[in-house]
Amino acid sequence: TTSEAEARKSNLLPAWRGDDVTRVEVVTGGDGYLLTRPPKGTEKRPWDLTIGGETFPAEEQTVDKLLSTLDYAKFAREVPSSSVNRDELGLTSPSTVLKVTMGELVFTIALGGEVPTGEGVYAEVSGRGVYVISKGLAAGLVIPSSQLREGRLVPYGSMELSAVWLEGEGGTRKFAREDDAAIRARGFRFAEGSEGTVGERVDARELDRVFVTFEKLRSGSFLDDAVAAGASKPRVTLTQVPKEGQPAVLVIGGDCPEREGFTIVRRTAPTKLAACVAT
């Protein structure tokens, strides 16, 4: 609209409707990836990250940060069209290209070379023009794919579980929820096949500490599954049985290659994932 264009006249993008953004495609320094989510009106709208044909859950907070940067991005000045030499400005072969799909609107931002005076970086918005933006803004638009991949390894929260098993060091501990309305660790009892008295209520405070530890299991870096399998030395196997969906299985143990102080965690179900976790 005219009012929107006036309000955003110093913004890099002339329009922004965050809820309508469903796709962000980025190519930077050989690191290409695609962010997608369902259209507005869908009940659940998680972001997915696709890298090299493989799709993973995206780190929602990092995606939100990128979208916020795009929303509030402002330019320092516009480069007159008569002064635009694409080769000299580094726009013939841009260092980074972002393509944002927002409903029926599609914006492409190409980042070129640095301004000779050092004041910033050249940026071209398709169909709009060439601008100078700050180096800080340019850096904020270049997020490596590794930072956009969700780092959470344990897929289910405590309230989603009907049972949880811990096997390995410390013995076999199997806990089953007695009451679906139970809060966090309350309502769990020792189940068949577990060390301990079957049917005895689990200490809620102790089990709650275990659940908090699960929530803190986040990737410090991801590993190739074959590399992780070769270096893995299982100490504990965690199985989460959700009220709905497939069980999750995580194998914990083994030193991460070339990462002192990090332990290997391999998720073998419902999806495969291997990562280094700080210990």
Side-chain angles (χ1 to χ4, degrees), residues 225-279:
D225 192 61
V227 173
S232 178
K233 295 181 179 179
R235 297 177 59 188
V236 176
T237 297
L238 161 65
T239 302
Q240 291 185 305
V241 182
K243 298 174 186 176
E244 298 180 1
Q246 297 179 321
V249 180
L250 291 92
V251 180
I252 304 167
D255 295 331
C256 264
E258 300 179 4
R259 294 213 69 178
E260 186 177 352
F262 283 75
T263 297
I264 295 172
V265 177
R266 296 177 62 223
R267 190 172 71 206
T268 60
T271 56
K272 288 187 176 182
L273 181 66
C276 295
V277 175
T279 54

Side-chain angles (χ1 to χ4, degrees), residues 16-257:
W16 186 262
R17 302 175 187 91
D19 282 347
D20 290 342
V21 179
T22 56
R23 181 183 177 100
V24 180
E25 187 173 0
V26 179
V27 177
T28 176
D31 181 19
Y33 58 85
L34 174 66
L35 292 164
T36 56
R37 70 171 171 179
K40 185 170 62 175
T42 308
E43 183 178 355
K44 294 183 179 180
R45 304 183 67 199
W47 283 97
D48 285 329
L49 172 68
T50 300
I51 311 169
E54 290 189 86
T55 299
F56 312 94
E59 189 68 64
E60 298 285 335
Q61 291 184 337
T62 307
V63 177
D64 287 344
K65 180 181 178 181
L66 174 60
L67 296 181
S68 179
T69 300
L70 287 164
D71 180 9
Y72 293 103
K74 294 181 180 292
F75 56 83
R77 62 180 174 87
E78 183 174 3
V79 179
S81 57
S82 59
S83 301
V84 173
N85 182 312
R86 299 177 60 79
D87 286 337
E88 290 181 358
L89 303 187
L91 295 170
T92 302
S93 300
S95 60
T96 299
V97 177
L98 300 94
K99 186 176 181 180
V100 182
T101 301
M102 185 190 311
E104 296 181 355
L105 299 175
V106 178
F107 297 114
T108 299
I109 303 171
L111 301 183
E114 290 191 14
V115 179
T117 60
E119 64 180 301
V121 174
Y122 293 110
E124 181 177 26
V125 180
S126 58
R128 194 173 192 209
V130 176
Y131 305 89
V132 172
I133 63 173
S134 69
K135 293 180 181 179
L137 173 55
L141 294 172
V142 183
I143 299 179
S145 59
S146 58
Q147 295 182 19
L148 285 159
R149 188 172 169 183
E150 184 184 46
R152 186 178 68 164
L153 301 175
V154 180
Y156 302 115
S158 60
M159 292 300 295
E160 299 175 87
L161 298 176
S162 64
V164 59
W165 307 338
L166 291 166
E167 301 168 276
E169 292 185 7
T172 299
R173 291 137 292 169
K174 295 188 176 183
F175 313 123
R177 190 186 295 276
E178 180 184 52
D179 179 5
D180 284 346
I183 299 175
R184 291 186 69 87
R186 298 176 189 171
F188 280 90
R189 295 182 181 273
F190 285 94
E192 291 287 345
S194 175
E195 296 180 12
T197 304
V198 174
E200 183 178 349
R201 187 178 294 277
V202 179
D203 187 310
R205 289 174 299 180
E206 292 300 318
L207 188 54
D208 194 62
R209 289 173 58 190
V210 174
F211 287 148
V212 169
T213 300
F214 293 168
E215 293 169 3
K216 291 180 178 179
L217 282 177
R218 299 187 67 83
S219 168
S221 61
F222 293 100
L223 283 173
D224 177 82
D225 192 61
V227 173
S232 178
K233 295 181 179 179
R235 297 177 59 188
V236 176
T237 297
L238 161 65
T239 302
Q240 291 185 305
V241 182
K243 298 174 186 176
E244 298 180 1
Q246 297 179 321
V249 180
L250 291 92
V251 180
I252 304 167
D255 295 331
C256 264

